[in-house]
């Protein structure tokens, strides 16, 4: 409203633009707006609509660790089964396990990178 008045209306008291009283009024309005925004965020947090970023990061890291452990266990225990299924050479089990673990790491790196980009935004 003050911007509209300053742009489209002229002062009738003859006072120059940008007086100290106007600056104080603008500062007070900005303080009130900031205070209202802070109260709104606190209310949203109390109602469960918002949670702290650190809590989200902790939950995501827990889930990533659980996923990593699960994928690693599958790679370690499933390699012999894969070799048997494809009628392959059993001496290549360690190579298959190493490849599978590397693929898991790459998948988790890609997964984590995508999640961290979303959290940072």
């Amino acid at each position: 409203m003050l911007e509209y008045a300053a742009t489209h209306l002229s002062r009738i008291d003859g006072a120059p633009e940008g007086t100290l009283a106007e600056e104080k009024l603008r500062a007070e309005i900005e303080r009130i707006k900031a205070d209202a925004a802070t109260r709104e965020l606190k209310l949203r947090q109390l109602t469960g609509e918002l949670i702290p970023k650190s809590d989200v990061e902790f939950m995501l890291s827990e889930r990533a660790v659980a996923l990593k452990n699960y994928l690693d266990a599958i790679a370690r225990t499933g390699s012999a089964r894969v070799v048997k299924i494809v009628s392959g050479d059993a001496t290549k089990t360690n190579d298959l396990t190493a490849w599978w673990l590397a693929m898991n790491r790459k998948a988790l790196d890609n997964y984590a990178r995508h999640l961290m980009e979303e959290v940072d935004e």
Side-chain angles (χ1 to χ4, degrees), residues 4 10 13-14 30-32 34-35 39 49 51 53-54 58 65 97 100 109 112 114 116 118:
Y4 176 83
S10 60
D13 64 359
E30 290 302 316
R31 187 193 62 76
I32 291 169
D35 187 47
R39 284 194 315 268
E49 191 176 337
I51 58 175
K53 182 179 177 181
S54 59
F58 181 75
V65 167
T97 302
W100 209 334
D109 286 345
H114 178 68
M116 295 312 296
E118 289 179 5

Side-chain angles (χ1 to χ4, degrees), residues 76-108:
R76 287 190 175 92
T77 61
S79 296
R81 250 177 88 197
V82 171
V83 170
K84 183 178 180 182
I85 290 169
V86 296
S87 300
D89 183 0
T91 61
K92 298 287 187 177
T93 302
N94 289 338
D95 293 339
L96 176 61
T97 302
W99 172 81
W100 209 334
L101 291 172
M103 295 306 294
N104 288 349
R105 279 192 300 277
K106 183 177 180 183
L108 286 171

Side-chain angles (χ1 to χ4, degrees), residues 49-64:
E49 191 176 337
L50 298 177
I51 58 175
K53 182 179 177 181
S54 59
D55 290 356
V56 173
E57 290 172 342
F58 181 75
M59 288 184 284
L60 290 175
S61 66
E62 280 184 325
R63 291 178 66 197

